[in-house]
Amino acid sequence: MFSPEDAIESQLQRGARQGGELPVPYQVKWEPHGVYSRYFGNVTSEDMRRHIEEVCKDDRFEQHRYNILDFSDATDFSPTERELLINSGVLIGAAFTNHQVLISAVVTRENVRAALERFHALGVSPYVAKIFPTVAEARKWIEESGITSVRYSTT
């Protein structure tokens, strides 16, 4: 899904864990109406928070309508409830800037699915979210929602 140019740009834009020692386990690609992010390896709650902040701080965030979080290549994501609540707080803050976002997660591993289901069960995310087995199904849901035709109101 990423071109060689995207991979180079993503490498250049990657943050780093703990003071630059390890690259974060995700790549972000901005699309016309949203963001496609691919996670890989062991994803920590801190990685997720950094990703949320990276997307929400971008000038394009105010106009974007969806996030596709592709966890197909993630081997682990095991946040605590406290960590999930902290990440929810970051999302709640982001909703003040843009509340019209759908989140679709693509998950193939049960341990990752369980963590995301725990997050949804907390009931504190300001965004509508759904889990899918493939990127194609996630994109279909977004397309059928009509969210990409919603315009941001400045009033």
Side-chain angles (χ1 to χ4, degrees):
M1 203 167 257
F2 282 90
S3 69
E5 293 81 20
D6 292 331
I8 292 168
E9 181 179 338
S10 180
Q11 278 295 108
L12 295 174
Q13 292 180 354
R14 279 187 184 181
R17 291 184 184 163
Q18 301 171 355
E21 294 171 12
L22 296 171
V24 294
Y26 62 81
Q27 294 174 316
V28 175
K29 181 177 181 183
W30 283 89
E31 300 178 342
H33 299 287
V35 174
Y36 169 83
S37 300
R38 183 177 70 97
Y39 289 89
F40 47 92
N42 179 31
V43 180
T44 68
S45 184
E46 177 74 10
D47 297 329
M48 179 63 77
R49 185 188 53 76
R50 286 183 182 176
H51 172 262
I52 294 167
E53 289 175 348
E54 177 183 334
V55 169
C56 296
K57 287 179 181 178
D58 192 287
D59 291 339
R60 296 168 282 192
F61 177 72
E62 289 183 11
Q63 301 295 322
H64 103 290
R65 297 291 170 246
Y66 65 84
N67 288 345
I68 298 173
L69 307 175
D70 185 354
F71 286 92
S72 298
D73 295 322
T75 55
D76 190 35
F77 179 50
S78 305
T80 65
E81 184 172 327
R82 180 179 182 278
E83 291 169 332
L84 291 173
L85 288 170
I86 289 169
N87 286 346
S88 293
V90 176
L91 288 173
I92 290 167
F96 284 101
T97 302
N98 183 352
H99 64 278
Q100 298 177 344
V101 177
L102 290 180
I103 299 176
S104 59
V106 178
V107 178
T108 57
R109 288 178 176 79
E110 281 306 312
N111 60 334
V112 176
R113 173 182 293 278
L116 293 176
E117 287 175 347
R118 284 187 9 251
F119 177 75
H120 296 305
L122 292 173
V124 294
S125 175
Y127 299 115
V128 174
K130 194 168 179 182
I131 298 173
F132 297 92
T134 67
V135 172
E137 289 176 80
R139 288 190 183 281
K140 182 179 178 188
W141 177 65
I142 290 165
E143 184 65 32
E144 290 176 350
S145 76
I147 194 77
T148 58
S149 63
V150 174
R151 298 293 172 237
Y152 182 75
S153 172
T154 58
T155 59

